[in-house]
Amino acid sequence: IFFTYKLTSMKLGHPFTLLMVCFTLSFIACKKDDPKPVEKSPVEILTSHKWQIDEIRFLQENIPYYYKRGASGGNNINYDSEYIKFNTDKTGERSDNNLVYPLTWDFIDAEKTKIKILLQEDKMLTVIWENIIYKEKSLKYSEYYNKIGTNSLAVATRTPKP
């Protein structure tokens, strides 16, 4: 009773009201202006850039290979000029050392984490990408194929080609 009496008998009118108004406005004013960015679909990400190898590790004929773009050492293969481009009509190209090879591609699972690439080099080459992680600025995946009796297994990261 004493506490209630003190509050009602004190002259809190204007400062107390002003404090409550400021407190209420602080919640109203903290509303975000930017809507949540719309996530792109796997097709939109895949077809939005030419994708260059940023890093790859692979094994061919029991020989390990490694490439990291911009590395000052440690690379035992060069992919500086390589890229792959996917088109929305499920065609595309792979370029390496100024040679351009046509390709076709398609998803082989409903989740769009696996792609089958038919690459026309000297002979038709079937390349499978699995476990694909799509981001606007990177593709991460595992890859395997058999080229003229030689199996290859890789883990790679690609980034947009400038």
Side-chain angles (χ1 to χ4, degrees), residues 22-36:
C22 289
F23 183 73
T24 304
L25 287 176
S26 69
F27 282 107
I28 295 170
C30 288
K31 197 175 189 181
K32 286 188 175 183
D33 293 334
D34 298 330
K36 183 179 177 184

Side-chain angles (χ1 to χ4, degrees), residues 23-90:
F23 183 73
T24 304
L25 287 176
S26 69
F27 282 107
I28 295 170
C30 288
K31 197 175 189 181
K32 286 188 175 183
D33 293 334
D34 298 330
K36 183 179 177 184
V38 177
E39 289 188 28
K40 291 186 175 183
S41 72
V43 173
E44 290 172 313
I45 292 172
L46 199 62
T47 60
S48 64
H49 306 285
K50 290 180 179 177
W51 295 96
Q52 65 187 5
I53 293 176
D54 181 63
E55 185 173 24
I56 188 167
R57 294 176 191 276
F58 65 99
L59 187 63
Q60 260 179 5
E61 296 182 335
N62 292 324
I63 300 170
Y65 292 90
Y66 179 75
Y67 170 81
K68 174 65 177 157
R69 183 168 300 279
S72 59
N75 292 343
N76 60 353
I77 194 162
N78 187 339
Y79 284 115
D80 286 350
S81 65
E82 192 274 354
Y83 73 83
I84 193 166
K85 172 70 175 131
F86 297 95
N87 298 321
T88 55
D89 65 358
K90 307 243 173 118

Side-chain angles (χ1 to χ4, degrees), residues 1 10 12 42 45 53 57 59 61 77 84 99 110 114 122 126 128-129 140-141 143 147 153 156:
I1 296 176
M10 291 173 65
L12 295 177
I45 292 172
I53 293 176
R57 294 176 191 276
L59 187 63
E61 296 182 335
I77 194 162
I84 193 166
L99 298 173
K114 297 178 184 178
D122 300 332
T126 301
I128 305 295
W129 285 10
K140 294 182 180 188
Y141 59 93
E143 168 186 283
K147 185 175 184 177
L153 178 62

Side-chain angles (χ1 to χ4, degrees), residues 69-121:
R69 183 168 300 279
S72 59
N75 292 343
N76 60 353
I77 194 162
N78 187 339
Y79 284 115
D80 286 350
S81 65
E82 192 274 354
Y83 73 83
I84 193 166
K85 172 70 175 131
F86 297 95
N87 298 321
T88 55
D89 65 358
K90 307 243 173 118
T91 64
E93 65 185 33
R94 178 181 177 268
S95 179
D96 195 12
N97 295 319
N98 297 320
L99 298 173
V100 178
Y101 304 100
L103 64 85
T104 57
W105 66 276
D106 204 352
F107 295 105
I108 54 177
D109 68 335
E111 295 81 20
K112 296 186 166 94
T113 60
K114 297 178 184 178
I115 296 176
K116 181 178 183 178
I117 302 167
L118 299 176
L119 182 60
Q120 183 63 54
E121 291 184 346

